[in-house]
Amino acid sequence: MGGVERAGKRLAEMGFNSGGGVINWFPGHMAAATRAIRQRLKLADLVIEVRDARIPLSSAHEDLQSILEHKRRIIALNKKDLANPNIMHHWVRHLESSTKDCLSINAHSRSSVNELLGLVEFKLREVMSREPTLLVMVVGVPNVGKSALINCIHRIATSRFPVHEKVKRATVGPLPGVTQDISGFKIANRPSIYVLDTPGVLVPKISDMETGLKLALTGAVKDSVVGEERLAKYMLSVLNTRRTPLHWERLVNRSDQDFRRATGTLDRDSTLRKKQRKHIDGSDVVYIQDLVKDVQRALFLTYKEFEGNIEEETELEILIDAQFDALQKVFRIPQKQSDEARLMVSKKLLTLFRTGKLGPFILDNLPDSL
């Protein structure tokens, strides 16, 4: 896994970043929200810290860790369906070894969220006898799935309690700068446990270039801040240094027609058949599956045929340029206006990665001790 770390550090100095500069993202409107969240954290009896399972460390909000360390906390690694399951359990064990409760979840799955709420109730048992009302707060950097989690909790709360209790206002003691009545969803009785329905927006602390690229690649930082091509190149650098394209070698044995599709030379009759098929089934599912295989195959072929040393920065750039050319053919993007074409390739490649079509990944590295 050390290759990913080396690749990330190289990117800060490589041509990939020309004109990009240091990633610095702190929208002004988020500053007030961050201050408000700090105040509300003082009221919370338990905090659910949502992180992206693909970047369990990089998606932690560093500025809040000093506060969270002294709170009852559950780290929810969301989007586990997009993370490598072969590594995920190692991450859960690692975070739990640091005296943190940790659970990998899918915020769109009711059963997964129910498991999380069960852990919440278990964690609060020790204070149930002392407090008539308990508050749970959800925090996390952008795009880790806080809203999806809150929405699922809302649906569960609605099914557990009568209509008049599904949106209850929990009164909390006076504290300067914090509203006394905070809207929340009731998830348990005796005592009453409420999950605050205002997760808020936090600004991720970008401590270094690699962390910033990972946050941007998973959508926590806007693409416009970093640049799509810059992100796509970083992503390819990660895949190449991990030798991920070699996992797609099985695609080499596909038919000649599939090969011509991957290289952009599919004949007109086959293209017509594809359009007819799409019209008949009314779905893009089959087309996307074919496209993903073509992308994986193109990346494998360029990787295997490359004779340079990917540990050398300039040679890694040469390989990535060759992969961009191959992907441009796979995506059927015209050759003219190369800058625009590369941007289009980048956007399509990032979409496939972020939606998990290229496979499950975890970008952060486990500590060497594991």
Side-chain angles (χ1 to χ4, degrees), residues 162-321:
V163 174
H164 71 278
E165 290 194 33
K166 72 177 181 180
V167 180
K168 188 84 171 178
R169 301 196 71 82
T171 302
V172 293
L175 189 72
V178 178
T179 304
Q180 286 187 298
D181 290 334
I182 300 175
S183 178
F185 305 126
K186 189 174 186 177
I187 63 168
N189 265 327
R190 300 179 185 176
S192 297
I193 300 178
Y194 294 88
V195 175
L196 306 188
D197 65 348
T198 52
V201 180
L202 290 172
V203 181
K205 180 178 180 181
I206 301 175
S207 56
D208 55 56
M209 179 64 71
E210 186 181 7
T211 298
L213 288 165
K214 289 176 182 177
L215 286 166
L217 187 54
T218 54
V221 175
K222 290 182 178 180
D223 287 350
S224 58
V225 175
V226 183
E228 286 89 346
E229 184 176 341
R230 187 181 180 193
L231 280 176
K233 287 182 174 181
Y234 171 70
M235 190 198 88
L236 288 174
S237 123
V238 171
L239 296 182
N240 290 323
T241 55
R242 286 187 172 183
R243 304 181 183 278
T244 301
L246 292 179
H247 298 164
W248 301 324
E249 184 173 6
R250 68 188 185 282
L251 300 174
V252 151
N253 297 321
R254 296 172 65 199
S255 68
D256 180 66
Q257 175 177 314
D258 289 340
F259 173 76
R260 287 185 287 116
R261 182 188 291 115
T263 54
T265 57
L266 190 66
D267 58 53
R268 189 179 68 175
D269 291 340
S270 182
T271 302
L272 178 60
R273 285 195 297 272
K274 181 192 292 183
K275 290 181 178 179
Q276 291 173 338
R277 180 191 65 199
K278 289 180 68 181
H279 177 72
I280 292 172
D281 65 19
S283 171
D284 289 337
V285 173
V286 176
Y287 169 71
I288 292 295
Q289 290 175 341
D290 287 345
L291 178 64
V292 169
K293 291 177 181 177
D294 292 340
V295 168
Q296 292 173 328
R297 189 175 190 278
L299 294 178
F300 166 76
L301 289 174
T302 50
Y303 182 93
K304 186 175 182 181
E305 294 170 0
F306 184 67
E307 297 180 352
N309 179 8
I310 60 172
E311 295 299 324
E312 295 293 332
E313 297 177 5
T314 55
E315 296 192 43
L316 178 59
E317 286 194 67
I318 293 172
L319 170 59
I320 291 175
D321 284 339

Side-chain angles (χ1 to χ4, degrees), residues 49-81:
E49 182 190 2
V50 186
R51 300 185 188 179
D52 191 315
R54 296 168 295 179
I55 47 174
L57 291 183
S58 298
S59 58
H61 194 286
E62 289 300 323
D63 287 344
L64 291 182
Q65 295 308 306
S66 60
I67 299 176
L68 295 178
E69 285 176 0
H70 301 288
K71 305 287 293 186
R72 293 180 190 85
R73 169 176 50 159
I74 297 172
I75 296 176
L77 299 178
N78 189 32
K79 305 185 182 182
K80 69 176 184 178
D81 52 312

Side-chain angles (χ1 to χ4, degrees), residues 49-56 59 75-85 88 103-109 112-113 116 141-149 214-221 353-356 359-363:
E49 182 190 2
V50 186
R51 300 185 188 179
D52 191 315
R54 296 168 295 179
I55 47 174
S59 58
I75 296 176
L77 299 178
N78 189 32
K79 305 185 182 182
K80 69 176 184 178
D81 52 312
L82 300 179
N84 189 335
M88 191 75 265
L103 189 68
S104 60
I105 68 166
N106 178 350
H108 295 285
S109 166
S112 185
V113 175
L116 173 63
V141 300
N143 205 43
V144 291
K146 298 186 302 296
S147 295
L149 177 59
K214 289 176 182 177
L215 286 166
L217 187 54
T218 54
V221 175
F353 176 83
R354 287 167 174 166
T355 54
F361 294 94
I362 295 182
L363 302 176

